[in-house]
Amino acid sequence: MGVSNGVAERVRLAQADAGEQPWRAWGPYLAERAWGTVREDYSEHGTAWDYFPHDHARSRTYRWNEDGMAGVCDDRQTFCFALALWNERDPILKERMFGLGGDGGNHGEDAKEYWWYQDSTPTHSWMRWRYHYPQAAFPYDDLVRVNGQRTRDESEYELVDTGIFDDDRFWAVTVDYAKATPTDMCIVVTVDNRGPETATLHVLPSLWFRNTWSWGAANRPVPQIEGRPGRLLGTHRSLGCITLDAEDEPPALLCDNETNAQRLWGLPGTTLYPKDGINDHIVAGAPTVNPEGTGTKGALHYVLTLGPGETRRIRLRLTQSDEPPPADLGAGFDEVLRIRADEADEFFAGLIPAAASAEEVAVARQAIAGLMWGKQFYHLDVKQWLRGDPATAPPPPGRKYGRNHAWWHMNSFDVISMPDPWEYPWYAAWDLAFHCVTIARVDPGFAKSQLLLLLREWYMHPNGQIPAYEWAFSDVNPPVHAWAALRVFEIDGGKDFDFLAKVMHKLLLNFTWWVNRKDVGGNNVFEGGFLGLDNVGPFDRSAALPVAGVLEQSDGTGWMAMYALNLLDMAIRLALHDQAYTDMATKFFEHFAYIAEAAYRQGLWNDEDCFFYDVLRLPDGHKLPLKVRSIVGLLPLAATTRLTASTLNRLPALGARLRWMQSSQAEYGDIISARRIGADGRQQRLLSMVGQDQLLRILARMLDPEEFLSAYGLRTLSRAHLEKPFTVSLGGSDFTVGYEPAESTSGLFGGNSNWRGPVWMPVNYLLVEALREFAEFYGDDLKVEYPTGSGVQVTLAEVADDVSRRLVSLFVPDSWGRRPLYGANEMFQNHPDWKDLVVFPEYFHGDNGAGLGAWHQTGWTALVVDLILTLHR
């Protein structure tokens, strides 16, 4: 059952990739929030949070997915397993995490609970989840009321602020999973009474089937779960038997995964035992569980009364088979957990360099756990969603012209890496690209499949656009898919040319879409809208401009220059194996040169300020630079690559084209002419949007503590705008951008993220990569003052390492034992039950490093893993 030399998990990955054993078939693919999502929203005007609120979730059947706590399911979400709890004081069972929607939180949607992903191998052979559940009544109304009263200028009112954790009056609940086989999972629920008094907790391990039968589709038989003491036995036509066994034979409670229409709308329902039947039975003693012990949703009911500091473990076993096997909850069960835990330790010991500190190892492991737990089953047939189901009332007519109506072709039924199972329980295209870079460190097969998935014909629009995210598939995310594919290709060993070719073929369509749709003037400078940077500009870049004209974007142009270089790199790698790709290499080499030259010719570069700016091009031809020193002007640095003499010798047609442009197209000379002798003693060329002079001048700003450089990485807006906000008057209105290091005080994009000062991991990561690429070209000959004003000269490689260390320092305890990401919260900083449980927030305070935004998110913040591995390479 186990392999003692540390390769057991890699053997499982190889078996899964080869189709020999379905080790990825079961995983934590159950969302933590299905309510308040676009998929479940059938309102006329897209008010998802209001149409399906948290109050409905326990009583109303989901159409497209399910949610739960510490949940697992199969990769088609046929069955679901999760944990429910009750402290005998809450008005409802704790079956899912609570939080506020976009209109209820003073800074957008926000989870108001505390839980952590502590561990997971890539095949989910071993996982650990942790939750702190208050022993007093959960303050639902208080959280809604106070946050609703607070303005954007005030901090958020969090669960810890209510005092509910005072005197440690909470339950620490840990769930461990260990797979004996791909479809045999040993589960241990550990409950600790951390409070000072004896208390009672109801623990309800739950098993149910996703409702696929109530929507009017033909040939949809209803599965069944039968309950008996200590066992829930499910039967399904495609799964066979799915069995949940428990020690100590707790009673089984059964109801139906059907909507309680009487509670919600005063209408007769289809069953006496609806979805909330177990809730009503336990909380209110209602006769709402089936006395016959059958249904489509079941729970095994434990009632635990524990003294102060007392611990109880519950053993469970979840198994799929043709016939329900006898449950082994004894010595064999414990052996599975021990072996899988040891194998996980061995797997991560082989991944993380020995030079990494114990704290860095812990951070890396928890970050990977968050990514693994962020894999979610995602189901949405947009055409069906737009027109409604046969067995339900037709949607309002306005939906035919509303959100995502142009994406009728999309039909999703996949496990996808998501930014967060609660705050962002839907994929986001550019987030996913960054996820895959870190995922490739542990599971390159899954990372490659994810990048290919969004390029498949049932995702990519027929016009070549990659879908952004379910709130607006037509929004434009930065084109980082090619960059991510190259990084994954390299991390995987640089040999899977079939993967690279498949990616490139599809990205040719997407690149063409960009050129045709986002270069309005046909002048090789690009627009794109907000491009994932939300409120970075003085006005909403995705909305109609305040005046007539076109907004030429430095980030859009920089992204496209980077995209062209990424496709050039892809074509070169493929051409070295198949000369047919040589023409593609020359095509993207030239396209990069056109874009880089146009950035200067069209005025995006401001020589006086030594910076790239967005430029508003007015109908009369006048160009108005929007002089905001932001990440927009730093991103062109990422459009950088090197061509070696070896490459040019092996691809003579590319070398000939380069020499032709150099000799006959003088305007491109500065962009393609930089040459140096590399570390191997051979000549190399630099292709970059910036020459050495521009690079040094930009870096003088970027590495200045009074501008972009903070103690915790690079800010997204220069701190110089604290004293000197940028203001522009357009169409009779003033638009201002000032330095805001924390949450947004603006309502742009719902106000739930802020690019006007905080530190964001993905753009920092790209800029660190760019510094390393420049360092490879210039070597130790080029030094810069770092930090600006210090008088200390260092190499670019040393700058890249130090910025990386600043980013890593967000998560590890400093010399006072405090993690910067936890800010001034003393409980998280010092309490032994909290201080080592690490979260990976969406972004960080630009001055003190405190975690902000989607505070519970892992997503692209897990890039810290790659930084740690690179620093200790």
Side-chain angles (χ1 to χ4, degrees), residues 105-121:
N106 51 324
H107 296 111
E109 63 268 16
D110 186 29
K112 297 298 183 185
E113 310 238 22
Y114 302 113
W115 72 105
W116 299 265
Y117 313 114
Q118 289 190 275
D119 217 356
S120 179
T121 58

Side-chain angles (χ1 to χ4, degrees), residues 336-388:
V336 171
L337 269 97
R338 184 191 65 77
I339 290 174
R340 294 296 181 256
D342 288 347
E343 290 170 348
D345 290 342
E346 293 162 354
F347 175 76
F348 287 108
L351 172 72
I352 304 171
S357 69
E359 288 290 353
E360 288 173 329
V361 171
V363 167
R365 194 156 170 175
Q366 290 181 68
I368 291 168
L371 273 182
M372 297 299 100
W373 280 86
K375 293 155 63 173
Q376 305 287 286
F377 171 76
Y378 187 86
H379 182 28
L380 178 61
D381 180 340
V382 175
K383 183 186 292 185
Q384 189 71 55
W385 178 78
L386 288 170
R387 69 187 181 193

Side-chain angles (χ1 to χ4, degrees), residues 306-325:
L306 304 181
E310 189 176 352
T311 299
R312 170 73 187 275
R313 297 173 77 240
I314 298 171
R315 292 178 177 85
L316 307 163
R317 195 152 191 165
L318 185 64
T319 311
Q320 179 188 343
S321 60
D322 293 333
E323 295 292 336

Side-chain angles (χ1 to χ4, degrees), residues 818-837:
R818 300 175 70 86
R819 300 182 196 268
L821 73 95
Y822 283 140
N825 190 308
E826 293 304 317
M827 186 173 73
F828 284 94
Q829 292 288 13
N830 298 311
H831 195 293
D833 277 329
W834 298 76
K835 67 185 182 69
D836 294 324
L837 299 170

Side-chain angles (χ1 to χ4, degrees), residues 565 567-577 579 581-582 585-586 589 641-659 680 682-685 687 773:
L565 289 181
L567 292 174
L568 166 64
D569 285 343
M570 275 191 192
I572 287 173
R573 292 168 191 265
L574 292 166
L576 294 175
H577 292 263
Q579 288 290 317
Y581 285 93
T582 302
T586 60
F589 160 69
T641 195
R642 289 171 297 122
L643 294 180
T644 65
S646 174
T647 294
L648 295 175
N649 289 337
R650 294 178 65 184
L651 301 176
L654 176 60
R657 196 64 180 170
L658 189 154
R659 290 189 294 272
D680 60 357
R682 305 185 70 182
Q683 190 180 89
Q684 58 178 337
R685 287 181 180 269
L687 302 181
E773 191 72 13

Side-chain angles (χ1 to χ4, degrees), residues 671-789:
I671 295 161
I672 64 177
S673 295
R675 291 181 289 180
R676 289 178 64 86
I677 301 301
D680 60 357
R682 305 185 70 182
Q683 190 180 89
Q684 58 178 337
R685 287 181 180 269
L686 181 71
L687 302 181
S688 176
M689 280 191 71
V690 297
Q692 182 173 327
D693 178 61
Q694 287 91 353
L695 173 64
L696 292 174
R697 295 167 76 187
I698 293 173
L699 291 182
R701 291 198 183 279
M702 188 175 94
L703 306 179
D704 186 345
E706 296 303 315
E707 292 217 35
F708 289 98
L709 183 65
S710 81
Y712 305 103
L714 300 169
R715 304 177 178 104
T716 52
L717 187 78
S718 170
R719 201 173 187 277
H721 288 302
L722 177 64
E723 298 296 331
K724 296 180 179 179
F726 170 81
T727 299
V728 62
S729 297
L730 297 170
S733 298
D734 290 341
F735 299 89
T736 298
V737 175
Y739 176 70
E740 300 175 15
E743 286 96 347
S744 174
T745 60
S746 159
L748 289 181
F749 289 88
N752 63 344
S753 73
N754 182 28
W755 290 82
R756 295 182 175 182
V759 173
W760 287 75
M761 186 66 71
V763 289
N764 268 261
Y765 184 89
L766 286 176
L767 292 171
V768 167
E769 273 213 331
L771 287 169
R772 296 198 188 283
E773 191 72 13
F774 284 120
E776 287 291 327
F777 181 75
Y778 290 109
D780 294 344
D781 295 337
L782 181 64
K783 294 188 176 182
V784 297
E785 188 180 29
Y786 181 76
T788 300

